[in-house]
Amino acid sequence: MSEDLKGKVALITGANKGIGYEIARQLGSRGATVLVGSRDIGRGEEAANKLRSNQIDARTIQLDVIDQKTIDSASKQIESEFGKLDILVNNAGIASDGDRLPPSQVDIETLRHTYETNVFGVFAVIKTLLPLLKKSTAGRIVNLSSGLGSLTQNSDPNYEFANAKSLAYNSSKTAVNAITVLLAAELKDTSIKVNAADPGFTATDLNQHRGYRTVEQGAIPTGGYAYAAVRLATLPDDGSSGGFFDENGVVPW
């Protein structure tokens, strides 16, 4: 096990499965203490046990991003046990079946439901945990976004996923990108870096495992892939902030 992240504390939301779990595994394999954020404490503990069986320091933390009480409780738990937070990966997100309709036919409740988790949940977690990130010597915030949130790509008829016009999901990721930019600007004079990561079309429960990339690739791809979630979570002091990256580098807004 590498120990270049030894002493670092990382919280990953929605980490009991999929990309979130893989991000936790890879950060943990590099020596970080990983906090497996999960709505269901049982599923979270099952994932943490699996990580611990691989000699990773993993702890379960109950966290539902749409329940402020659990966010507050998680913050108090982290402060009590560690006194700081070095890495926050906002991975938890949803996509709704009701979002498969043409944009003008999407029910307003589908939009509200999606934003509650994908946008308001992300902001609530960041806002609550920011004081603990400020206690880190090098805080890192990574917001899991999507190329579907790129207005440039959505406007391009030749974009690989030009037909994927899911109003609620796509626009929620556009909002996440905006949050990323604005927070990075606010925190530019601190040691905290804020970036958005596009893991690519990864096979997860979110898309009924239709994606053609593995969760390992979605977390930190092998080969020449440079800018996935783990890379952004471990940026050096001179790393970028306020950016949007996928395996090939910068993604257009």
Side-chain angles (χ1 to χ4, degrees), residues 211-222:
Y212 49 72
R213 305 188 64 200
T214 66
V215 291
E216 290 82 7
Q217 289 175 314
I220 180 169
T222 55

Side-chain angles (χ1 to χ4, degrees), residues 4-12 23-24 27-28 30-37 56-61 74-75 77-89 129 132-142 233-234:
D4 63 322
L5 295 180
K6 191 173 180 61
K8 299 286 188 181
V9 180
L11 169 64
I12 304 93
I23 292 170
L27 291 174
R30 292 176 59 174
T33 294
V34 292
L35 307 179
V36 178
I56 290 173
D57 182 10
R59 324 283 180 90
T60 308
I61 193 160
S75 178
Q77 181 179 338
I78 296 168
E79 183 172 26
S80 174
E81 294 183 19
F82 305 103
K84 64 164 185 173
L85 181 63
D86 299 290
I87 298 168
L88 170 62
V89 181
L129 296 177
L132 290 174
L133 286 157
K134 288 181 176 179
K135 292 182 179 181
S136 170
T137 58
R140 301 289 181 265
I141 300 173
V142 181
T234 56

Side-chain angles (χ1 to χ4, degrees), residues 191-215:
S191 61
I192 298 174
K193 298 187 183 302
V194 190
N195 289 288
D198 171 17
F201 192 30
T202 304
T204 66
D205 288 352
L206 190 75
N207 55 42
Q208 293 78 51
H209 294 268
R210 294 193 303 269
Y212 49 72
R213 305 188 64 200
T214 66
V215 291

Side-chain angles (χ1 to χ4, degrees), residues 101-183:
L101 300 170
S104 65
Q105 296 178 30
V106 172
D107 189 90
I108 189 66
E109 289 307 318
T110 296
L111 201 65
R112 287 196 178 103
H113 179 63
T114 304
Y115 270 59
E116 193 66 41
T117 296
N118 293 5
V119 182
F120 305 141
V122 167
F123 180 69
V125 171
I126 293 174
K127 183 176 178 65
T128 304
L129 296 177
L130 191 56
L132 290 174
L133 286 157
K134 288 181 176 179
K135 292 182 179 181
S136 170
T137 58
R140 301 289 181 265
I141 300 173
V142 181
N143 297 322
L144 266 289
S145 184
S146 169
L148 296 177
S150 165
L151 295 177
T152 297
Q153 292 182 161
N154 269 300
S155 302
D156 182 358
N158 297 314
Y159 174 44
E160 180 181 9
F161 302 109
N163 292 325
K165 293 293 190 287
S166 298
L167 176 67
Y169 183 80
N170 292 21
S171 66
S172 75
K173 292 304 183 180
T174 305
V176 166
N177 290 346
I179 289 171
T180 300
V181 170
L182 296 174
L183 279 173

